[in-house]
């Protein structure tokens, strides 16, 4: 009786496994599709433009947060009075929009 029950449960578990998709095979297939799409894509000026904009916005964000708030007041306290007003709001709006996070 136990062997019959074991076979029945084993068949049930095997059937459920076959019904569920194999994630490793799906991930491998998606990776091959992504590689094929990228390899066939022409070199685009738009990719360079976005990369340049991303680096510039990241550098500006770093300046506004680290440079303006930490480095300048600690090492150059007299320069803080001569700096233009902060543009962190505009930088954050552009950077978050570019990252798709909304603003």
């Amino acid at each position: 009786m136990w062997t019959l029950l074991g076979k029945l449960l084993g068949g049930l578990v095997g059937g459920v496994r076959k019904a569920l998709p194999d994630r490793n095979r799906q991930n491998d297939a998606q990776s091959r599709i992504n590689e094929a799409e990228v390899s066939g894509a022409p070199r685009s000026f738009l990719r360079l433009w976005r990369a340049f904009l991303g680096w510039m916005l990241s550098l500006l964000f770093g300046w506004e947060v680290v440079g303006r708030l930490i480095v300048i007041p600690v090492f150059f306290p007299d320069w803080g009075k001569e700096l233009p007003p902060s543009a962190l709001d505009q930088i954050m709006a552009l950077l978050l929009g570019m990252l798709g996070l909304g603003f």
Side-chain angles (χ1 to χ4, degrees):
M1 176 163 167
W2 291 108
T3 58
L4 180 62
L5 185 60
K7 286 182 182 180
L8 183 63
L9 286 175
L12 183 63
V13 169
V16 169
R17 270 194 181 160
K18 288 179 184 176
L20 294 176
D22 184 11
R23 293 284 185 197
N24 291 332
R25 263 191 5 217
Q26 283 182 341
N27 290 341
D28 291 339
Q30 187 63 48
S31 294
R32 286 192 301 273
I33 290 170
N34 292 346
E35 288 172 7
E37 286 178 351
V38 169
S39 68
R43 187 124 176 111
S44 170
F45 180 71
L46 186 62
R47 286 194 301 180
L48 297 174
W49 177 86
R50 283 186 180 163
F52 174 75
L53 184 62
W55 279 106
M56 286 296 107
L57 288 171
S58 299
L59 289 172
L60 285 171
F61 177 76
W63 161 253
E64 288 291 332
V65 173
V66 177
R68 184 183 283 272
L69 298 178
I70 298 171
V71 175
I72 296 296
V74 171
F75 295 107
F76 309 102
D78 295 337
W79 287 8
K81 299 170 189 151
E82 299 173 11
L83 290 175
S86 176
L88 188 60
D89 293 340
Q90 291 86 3
I91 294 168
M92 286 298 294
L94 290 171
L95 187 59
L96 290 176
M98 184 177 171
L99 293 174
L101 299 174
F103 48 90

